[in-house]
Amino acid sequence: MAVEVKELLEAGVHFGHLTRKWDPNMAPYVYMERNGIHIINLYKTAVKIEEAGAALAKIANSGRKILFVATKKQAKDIVAEKAGGINMPYITERWPGGMLTNFVTIRKAVKKMATIDRMKKDGTFMTLSKKERLQVDRLRAKLEKNLGSISDMTRLPGALFVVDIKREHIAIKEAQKLNIPIFAMVDTNSDPRQVDYVIPANDDASKSIDKILTHVTTAISEGLAERKAEKDATVDAEKAPKAKTEKEPKAKKVTADEEE
């Protein structure tokens, strides 16, 4: 899916922050200054979206998960919809400290949810007192809110995609410690050096976030489709009967009578 500069412009991807709030390391991605606001160079944004998309598609094709992180109000619903649509984990509530660096503990909390669900299915839940059931329900709701979207993530993600790296600085630090590649929308007030794949863009407007996420998730979706096609081809090849080599018919002996 080619990225058109015009569509980025219409979505307001080019609007940066006030010039006094900028990070000088974003200079290569700034086109100009207008009315005290930095304008992002959308030609560079388009190139960076395609670069990030190709790398994300490759990660998805390898079977690893990409964890989306966006806890700001204008990004939460968009990320939940887009990441959920391609079956990728996401964090849209408060970042749980140690989510990556202490992943074993986080997995225990996720397993706790599964245990509560089993209790409800097998009837154990109803053997608890009314007060205990209320406590368990509250715990389940809290875990679902914070960790429900990562319940299928059984191992560390292959990459992180972040909206607003200043806000999600804890997630960024954890990913850096573990050498997990970081992809992010980076506005003019942030330091792009913290990110492996920078997408210079307005990370405050919902239209801009939606546009970038659409391109990114489409690329991931293509990587997943390619993986599925490769798997299906392998299965078909294994099922297909092996072709038998046709034996050449034996030469018929010619008798004396036939020769006459």
Side-chain angles (χ1 to χ4, degrees), residues 201-214:
N202 175 357
D203 64 12
D204 291 312
S206 50
K207 272 188 177 181
S208 172
I209 296 165
D210 188 280
K211 181 58 66 180
I212 301 296
L213 264 290
T214 298

Side-chain angles (χ1 to χ4, degrees), residues 56 66-69 159-163 183-185 199 212-213 216:
L56 286 165
I66 294 142
L67 176 62
F68 286 77
V69 187
L160 216 65
F161 188 95
V162 180
V163 177
F183 295 73
M185 285 178 69
I199 299 177
I212 301 296
L213 264 290
V216 164

Side-chain angles (χ1 to χ4, degrees), residues 82-114:
K82 302 285 183 187
I86 54 168
N87 200 27
M88 286 295 168
Y90 56 89
I91 295 288
T92 53
E93 296 303 321
R94 185 183 63 83
W95 174 263
M99 167 74 213
L100 300 175
T101 51
N102 197 9
F103 189 65
V104 175
T105 306
I106 297 294
R107 279 302 301 162
K108 280 179 185 172
V110 171
K111 282 177 185 173
K112 182 76 178 170
M113 278 198 302

Side-chain angles (χ1 to χ4, degrees), residues 118-135:
R118 273 199 304 275
M119 283 169 66
K120 288 188 174 184
K121 277 183 183 175
D122 63 20
T124 316
F125 181 72
M126 295 312 293
T127 63
L128 303 173
S129 68
K130 192 177 178 181
K131 188 182 177 182
E132 284 172 328
R133 289 203 303 269
L134 190 64
Q135 287 173 337

Side-chain angles (χ1 to χ4, degrees), residues 41 79 94 97 114 134 147 149 154 178 201 217 220 225 245 256:
N41 187 330
V79 166
R94 185 183 63 83
L134 190 64
L147 305 170
S149 61
T154 53
L178 299 170
T217 51
I220 293 170
T245 351

Side-chain angles (χ1 to χ4, degrees), residues 59-77:
I59 292 167
N61 183 265
S62 72
R64 288 171 295 166
K65 294 283 186 185
I66 294 142
L67 176 62
F68 286 77
V69 187
T71 60
K72 67 200 301 181
K73 192 182 175 182
Q74 57 271 54
K76 287 164 81 164
D77 292 344

